[in-house]
Amino acid sequence: MKKIITLTCISLFLFSCSDDDDYIPIGSGLDKELTTILTTVSEDKTLSYFILPESDDYLNIPQDPLNVITKEKVELGKLLLHETALGRKPKMTEMTATYSCASCHQAAAGFSSALRQGIGECGVGFGINGNGRIINQGVPIDSVDIQPIRSPTLLNVAYQDVMLWNGQFGATGTNQGTEANWGQIPENFLGFQGVEVQAIKGQGVHRLLVDEDFVITFGYKEMFDQAFTDIVEKQRYTTKNAGLAIAAYERTLLANKSPWQQWLKGDRNAMTTVEKKGAITFFSKGKCYECHTGPALSDKGFYAFGMGDFDNSNKAVVVANSGFENIKKGRGGFTKNTNDDYKFKTPTLYNLLDNGFYGHGGTFTSVRDVIAYKNKGIPQSTEATVENFASQFGTIDLTDDEINNLTAFIENSLRDSNLTRYVPETLKSGQCFPTNDIQSQIDLGCN
């Protein structure tokens, strides 16, 4: 009987067989081709180079040595990121406790904003995944906490050492040698990596406040005490420590349940034939891997593709005195080096389908359009410095079928469909989240 099973398996060329039921799938010719390509382009010549760790595998998650990940910090940060009671420094008093960090980084939108332009304070409503949030028309526009550039995702940020599209947050690695440009970012001088700096700095920028009064009023004292036992009690309840807890939590936000990750771990049925063809294009002719590599499919580089900016329309408001001219220059706006002008940080490609807007200015509304744009090589921006354009821009020459396959891989294989596992069921305050204005309470079913 065993001989018959063995012959059947060999004839199908699908499985390696043994005398028990624990044989391991080898897969199709596409699987073998993709495996060969991946071992060629990976730095360590193995598939594991692209595998994301489990979210509770703290030792294998990249972390800041000054902010070691602990379960206590992660549990605290999980609540703080979503806590609307943190909205305690609004410009408009009536907006108190109506917004949170997660207003622009909600799980339903892949931990990004489902809008072209994220809205914190003075936003109204939530919709389904954040796509229904609009600016409160009854307040001055300069009171609205509205993002001057598209909100990037928090997924896989553990694999970034600097944060924001221009990488200005972070004191180590990529930002070594940029100290002269830290004048507006004193938090960089604390010596933390970008994830930590953003979590600390962002509280002030987005009108959030953690202090002893907040901690005691909303029942967070015990959690802070458990997370920061090495700090004197009176120094525990601070914006800095809140930021460190939020950053620890953010580092665990990994899209490790996506079909691509399952395929890498051995499930050869996790991706469709079309998606496998797209992956082959991604890691070969498409040259996507030259920027999108490693577990997060994102290197630490900055590249210019001439994509458009916000256009000061009813779809994307440019607020006066927001430093927009600097923002448009991307990395160059921070470093003041003209060779960096119009270059933006490589984004992770996981869960793009949950967002709906692509490019730093949100000028694309489909993944396929972005691929076709890069393939054609005609810039949207008339200001971008042509000599700074990425070498891949307009030089790949993909066919329509290859573009379709590549789109399927990015949209489907890189989508982790269970991000709600990272969302708290309730907050210590008991308030609605990630937004808490009256319309949001209705939209979210909190009223």
Side-chain angles (χ1 to χ4, degrees):
M1 186 64 177
K2 291 179 181 177
K3 183 179 291 184
I4 295 174
I5 293 174
T6 302
L7 289 173
T8 302
C9 291
I10 291 173
S11 67
L12 292 174
F13 290 96
L14 291 178
F15 303 99
S16 64
C17 304
S18 66
D19 290 341
D20 56 35
D21 295 328
D22 296 326
Y23 51 76
I24 301 171
I26 294 175
S28 67
L30 288 175
D31 295 305
K32 296 174 184 177
E33 181 181 357
L34 180 54
T35 298
T36 299
I37 291 171
L38 291 174
T39 55
T40 300
V41 302
S42 62
E43 287 188 6
D44 64 0
K45 306 306 177 186
T46 70
L47 297 188
S48 62
Y49 177 69
F50 299 100
I51 295 178
L52 291 162
E54 292 300 310
S55 297
D56 58 357
D57 185 7
Y58 300 153
L59 292 179
N60 286 310
I61 297 174
Q63 54 190 290
D64 189 328
L66 299 180
N67 184 36
V68 176
I69 301 174
T70 66
K71 181 180 179 181
E72 292 76 16
K73 285 181 187 175
V74 171
E75 290 178 346
L76 173 59
K78 180 179 184 178
L79 295 181
L80 293 180
L81 184 116
H82 295 88
E83 182 59 85
T84 46
L86 268 181
R88 301 170 68 232
K89 290 178 61 178
K91 284 192 175 182
M92 308 292 290
T93 304
E94 59 269 34
M95 301 299 167
T96 300
T98 61
Y99 52 93
S100 67
C101 302
S103 295
C104 297
H105 298 286
Q106 61 265 12
F111 281 100
S112 182
S113 171
L115 302 170
R116 183 179 178 190
Q117 189 169 25
I119 307 169
E121 183 195 345
C122 295
V124 176
F126 186 77
I128 298 173
N129 66 341
N131 61 349
R133 193 159 178 79
I134 61 174
I135 295 174
N136 186 331
Q137 298 299 308
V139 303
I141 191 63
D142 61 0
S143 293
V144 182
D145 179 22
I146 187 166
Q147 307 309 299
I149 196 167
R150 189 173 68 79
S151 302
T153 179
L154 295 179
L155 282 176
N156 308 325
V157 293
Y159 291 87
Q160 302 177 27
D161 67 333
V162 295
M163 293 288 279
L164 298 191
W165 284 100
N166 65 4
Q168 69 180 30
F169 290 161
T172 66
T174 303
N175 274 351
Q176 288 183 342
T178 64
E179 290 83 357
N181 303 310
W182 294 1
Q184 300 301 314
I185 318 163
E187 292 80 3
N188 272 357
F189 290 103
L190 295 173
F192 293 109
Q193 294 181 7
V195 181
E196 281 69 23
V197 171
Q198 183 181 38
I200 296 169
K201 177 75 170 179
Q203 293 174 68
V205 171
H206 300 300
R207 310 167 194 177
L208 307 166
L209 177 62
V210 170
D211 56 17
E212 188 171 6
D213 178 61
F214 164 81
V215 169
I216 293 174
T217 300
F218 295 102
Y220 282 96
K221 184 179 184 300
E222 183 178 356
M223 294 190 76
F224 269 86
D225 290 342
Q226 292 174 346
F228 298 102
T229 56
D230 57 333
I231 297 176
V232 177
E233 183 174 352
K234 285 295 183 181
Q235 297 176 6
R236 288 176 187 163
Y237 319 120
T238 65
T239 291
K240 175 184 173 183
N241 290 336
L244 296 181
I246 290 170
Y249 160 69
E250 289 177 342
R251 288 178 180 275
T252 70
L253 300 178
L254 304 169
N256 47 32
K257 305 300 182 187
S258 65
W260 167 241
Q261 287 292 313
Q262 299 308 309
W263 184 91
L264 288 169
K265 295 170 187 175
D267 182 358
R268 296 300 181 252
N269 295 316
M271 296 197 297
T272 67
T273 296
V274 170
E275 290 161 17
K276 291 173 184 177
K277 289 180 178 179
I280 289 170
T281 298
F282 187 101
F283 290 101
S284 57
K285 181 181 176 181
K287 298 183 179 181
C288 309
Y289 71 93
E290 293 182 356
C291 304
H292 298 282
T293 188
L297 293 181
S298 172
D299 65 5
K300 296 179 180 179
F302 297 81
Y303 302 91
F305 284 96
M307 294 181 178
D309 308 295
F310 284 172
D311 48 21
N312 200 20
S313 67
N314 60 351
K315 295 181 179 179
V317 178
V318 177
V319 179
N321 303 316
S322 63
F324 192 58
E325 290 304 313
N326 247 1
I327 291 169
K328 289 196 296 183
K329 289 188 176 181
R331 183 67 172 170
F334 167 60
T335 65
K336 310 306 178 187
N337 182 342
T338 56
N339 292 328
D340 292 334
D341 281 352
Y342 306 101
K343 293 182 179 181
F344 295 85
K345 189 175 63 178
T346 305
T348 187
L349 297 180
Y350 285 85
N351 285 73
L352 291 185
L353 203 60
D354 293 340
N355 188 341
F357 293 91
Y358 311 103
H360 66 273
T363 48
F364 298 90
T365 54
S366 80
V367 173
R368 192 186 193 285
D369 285 348
V370 176
I371 298 171
Y373 168 80
K374 290 183 176 180
N375 194 49
K376 186 173 293 185
I378 300 175
Q380 289 181 332
S381 172
T382 58
E383 301 177 57
T385 310
V386 175
E387 52 266 31
N388 285 353
F389 282 172
S391 62
Q392 300 89 346
F393 190 46
T395 63
I396 300 172
D397 195 26
L398 298 178
T399 66
D400 282 345
D401 282 347
E402 288 169 332
I403 291 174
N404 290 336
N405 295 340
L406 185 51
T407 300
F409 170 65
I410 293 173
E411 287 188 342
N412 303 321
S413 296
L414 299 184
R415 183 174 183 268
D416 186 325
S417 62
N418 184 30
L419 297 184
T420 54
R421 68 186 182 276
Y422 296 121
V423 181
E425 293 184 7
T426 59
L427 304 176
K428 288 285 188 180
S429 68
Q431 293 183 175
C432 192
F433 68 92
T435 51
N436 189 40
D437 58 276
I438 294 174
Q439 184 58 52
S440 289
Q441 293 173 11
I442 295 171
D443 293 347
L444 291 162
C446 300
N447 57 317

